[in-house]
Amino acid sequence: MHGPNLPSRQAGLPVDRQAVLLREGLTMRVDSIGRFCILALVAALLVSPAVSWSQATTAPSSSKSPWEAIATSQDAGEIIAARERLIKDYQFAASESRGFAYAEEAAKKCQPALAADDPLAAVRQVNAAMAIAKMPQVSIQPALDAMVAHSNPAVRYLGWRAYHNIRMLLLAGGQRFAQQMLTSVETALAKEDSPVVLTALLEMAVYPATPPSTVSQQALSEAQNRTFAALAKNWSICGQLAMDGTVDATTAAGKAVEAAASLCDLTGRKEADKKAAAQVIVGLMWCATKVWVDSTDEQYADEAHQGLLREAEARLNALSGLNKRFIQKPIDDKDKELKAALRRGALEWLDALKEPLGVSEPKIEPRGQEPKA
């Protein structure tokens, strides 16, 4: 499916991210009509010819503060103008060294808009989230915690992108900030079901190997260890997404492969960590190929899926030192039954790692096919 024409980068989301988020909103499985309506409203807001994200259509009412306008206005243009006003006001405050205080107040005032439940709810939520995401201060953390736990995946996405921008500031800010950030990461890794949001979360959670001078090695190590433990414990969620076979799900699975290997490296490649990382990676490889053999859709052997498997194989070779080509060989040979060959390659990797690293075959079913309790 091809996405609609997208607004400019001035909207606050990178264009490629807008595209995948819109595609997800229009094609994802939904658990309720309500959630679908929220996503549809976000999509309509982004692509409506009557509403430009880069320029407001209506000036904000002089009788309303910007946050009040976002939370209560019945005019989408006024809501967008209010968001733009908030960003400009923050930039001015930051230029006068008042950014922390301004963002702290914004983190409180955005809550009514994030909690909106009316026909313009998605417009309010996304514009509030976009404003907060443009205030890179540790004082926005309470708002970010509300955003990453929000029912609207567009808001969660913006929350993790904003968290990514201030993660080092939070680690430098002391235990209270760091602990809350890590708790939010652990909670999200245990339940996030949007591949686009999960990709943003995993991008945020792969920390640099060397901390800036303001961050202690102890604080960085704790962040790396806790995030790695949460991913190792909850990787089956990524596995179920990989079984969906969509490009977005494949991207999320690939990011999980990268995160598992990178975090394992950052924690020192202890034997227990190598085993955990190998289980995540071979498990995702197993999940990504499980539905292929029975599928008639040739997209399951397309470039994106091959890329995921090649990346997984490279990471497994680096972890194990085995230097196997169970995946690369059938790709290079242009195997006529490529899907079946890639499935065999995943199973061969599972067998090859059972003894040296103690990995086991996953017990995972595609979403919606889990056995009832």
Side-chain angles (χ1 to χ4, degrees):
M1 175 179 177
H2 297 288
N5 293 329
L6 296 170
S8 72
R9 287 186 181 273
Q10 291 176 300
L13 278 174
V15 169
D16 60 335
R17 292 295 185 184
Q18 290 175 348
V20 292
L21 197 58
L22 281 173
R23 183 167 62 249
E24 181 190 4
L26 295 170
T27 64
M28 69 181 291
R29 299 173 188 170
V30 292
D31 296 327
S32 69
I33 293 175
R35 186 177 183 195
F36 178 81
C37 289
I38 289 174
L39 285 163
L41 282 167
V42 174
L45 174 66
L46 287 172
V47 303
S48 171
V51 178
S52 166
W53 281 95
S54 58
Q55 183 175 1
T57 58
T58 304
S61 170
S62 60
S63 63
K64 293 180 180 179
S65 70
W67 282 118
E68 184 183 4
I70 291 178
T72 65
S73 175
Q74 297 304 305
D75 185 299
E78 185 172 300
I79 293 170
I80 294 167
R83 179 253 298 170
E84 293 178 341
R85 170 70 181 276
L86 287 167
I87 294 171
K88 290 178 181 177
D89 286 352
Y90 165 76
Q91 291 169 342
F92 179 74
S95 73
E96 295 193 333
S97 301
R98 295 185 291 108
F100 181 96
Y102 187 95
E104 185 176 37
E105 191 68 14
K108 300 173 185 175
K109 291 183 176 179
C110 71
Q111 299 299 332
L114 291 177
D117 183 19
D118 71 307
L120 285 176
V123 183
R124 303 186 197 286
Q125 294 160 5
V126 172
N127 275 278
M130 290 173 73
I132 291 295
K134 289 290 188 178
M135 302 178 190
Q137 301 280 346
V138 296
S139 51
I140 65 169
Q141 188 174 32
L144 297 190
D145 289 332
M147 288 163 62
V148 299
H150 204 278
S151 61
N152 185 333
V155 174
R156 298 200 302 276
Y157 172 86
L158 287 162
W160 288 120
R161 294 306 301 166
Y163 244 134
H164 188 284
N165 292 337
I166 65 168
R167 58 185 179 165
M168 290 296 117
L169 294 175
L170 293 168
L171 290 177
Q175 281 286 308
R176 178 170 66 88
F177 295 112
Q179 294 298 317
Q180 184 55 50
M181 177 182 74
L182 294 174
T183 297
S184 290
V185 169
E186 290 166 336
T187 300
L189 283 173
K191 65 181 183 180
E192 182 55 65
D193 62 356
S194 161
V196 178
V197 177
L198 185 59
T199 298
L201 165 57
L202 291 168
E203 287 173 345
M204 174 267 174
V206 177
Y207 310 95
T210 304
S213 59
T214 54
V215 178
S216 70
Q217 185 61 54
Q218 180 181 354
L220 183 62
S221 295
E222 181 181 4
Q224 292 164 346
N225 285 321
R226 283 181 60 177
T227 302
F228 183 43
L231 177 59
K233 179 181 179 181
N234 300 295
W235 73 267
S236 61
I237 293 176
C238 302
Q240 283 193 312
L241 288 175
M243 289 179 177
D244 287 355
T246 66
V247 173
D248 292 343
T250 301
T251 300
K255 186 56 64 175
V257 166
E258 178 189 337
S262 298
L263 288 167
C264 179
D265 289 343
L266 293 173
T267 56
R269 279 204 182 186
K270 300 181 286 288
E271 282 303 310
D273 291 341
K274 286 171 64 175
K275 176 181 176 179
Q279 183 66 67
V280 172
I281 297 169
V282 80
L284 288 168
M285 181 184 282
W286 183 92
C287 289
T289 59
K290 185 176 188 293
V291 295
W292 290 9
V293 174
D294 297 327
S295 171
T296 58
D297 191 339
E298 288 305 315
Q299 74 158 333
Y300 284 121
D302 72 7
E303 205 167 299
H305 295 84
Q306 291 178 35
L308 164 63
L309 296 179
R310 286 196 303 266
E311 174 72 11
E313 182 164 83
R315 298 288 188 168
L316 290 175
N317 276 322
L319 281 172
S320 67
L322 291 177
N323 197 28
K324 299 295 185 181
R325 300 181 73 251
F326 300 136
I327 296 297
Q328 191 62 51
K329 188 176 187 304
I331 294 175
D332 289 345
D333 292 346
K334 295 182 171 53
D335 195 299
K336 292 182 179 180
E337 299 293 336
L338 185 56
K339 288 191 296 184
L342 293 175
R343 177 60 175 168
R344 284 195 303 273
L347 296 175
E348 287 177 306
W349 264 114
L350 183 63
D351 288 339
L353 294 175
K354 280 182 179 178
E355 187 172 329
L357 290 177
V359 302
S360 58
E361 182 172 337
K363 305 296 182 184
I364 302 175
E365 295 297 331
R367 289 194 291 178
Q369 297 182 27
E370 303 91 338
K372 294 182 180 180

